[in-house]
Amino acid sequence: TTDEIIHYVFNESSNTSETYWNFINECIEKIKQKDKYKETVNCGKVLIVNDNASIHNPNEVMEEIIKYNLNVLYTVEYESNYN
């Protein structure tokens, strides 16, 4: 249901590592505002599932992920044989 959607953004231009991190940061800030999720963020129990897009992997993004004690799970790389 849509009552559990915390944040979303529509970008009309290409995404970059900066727009990606801004989105993640905005999500974290909104999650912290919800009482039922606040402790989850504070305890470092946030999992971000990423594909292997280049905007997800720059050092700046990884430094922020470490700084905020976030957990990241990457999906398997694209393989046309699996389609």
Side-chain angles (χ1 to χ4, degrees), residues 29-81:
E29 292 305 315
K30 287 189 177 187
I31 291 170
K32 284 182 182 179
Q33 294 173 9
K34 293 189 170 277
D35 288 335
K36 68 180 183 178
Y37 298 125
K38 188 181 295 186
E39 190 63 28
T40 301
V41 174
N42 293 337
C43 291
K45 295 182 179 178
V46 175
L47 175 65
I48 299 171
V49 180
N50 282 340
D51 60 16
N52 289 291
S54 60
I55 66 169
H56 298 155
N57 297 313
N59 288 339
E60 302 83 27
V61 170
M62 295 313 293
E63 288 170 6
E64 293 295 323
I65 286 172
I66 291 166
K67 178 175 142 185
Y68 285 92
N69 197 25
L70 305 173
N71 299 293
V72 180
L73 176 66
Y74 287 95
T75 60
V76 225
E77 290 187 33
Y78 174 76
E79 173 57 56
S80 61
N81 292 330

Side-chain angles (χ1 to χ4, degrees), residues 2-41:
T2 58
D3 61 332
E4 290 296 299
I5 295 174
I6 294 171
H7 184 60
Y8 63 91
V9 174
F10 291 104
N11 288 332
E12 295 198 18
S13 60
S14 297
N15 286 307
T16 64
S17 58
E18 183 178 350
T19 59
Y20 169 69
W21 176 251
N22 287 340
F23 173 75
I24 295 296
N25 194 44
E26 290 165 3
C27 287
I28 297 300
E29 292 305 315
K30 287 189 177 187
I31 291 170
K32 284 182 182 179
Q33 294 173 9
K34 293 189 170 277
D35 288 335
K36 68 180 183 178
Y37 298 125
K38 188 181 295 186
E39 190 63 28
T40 301
V41 174

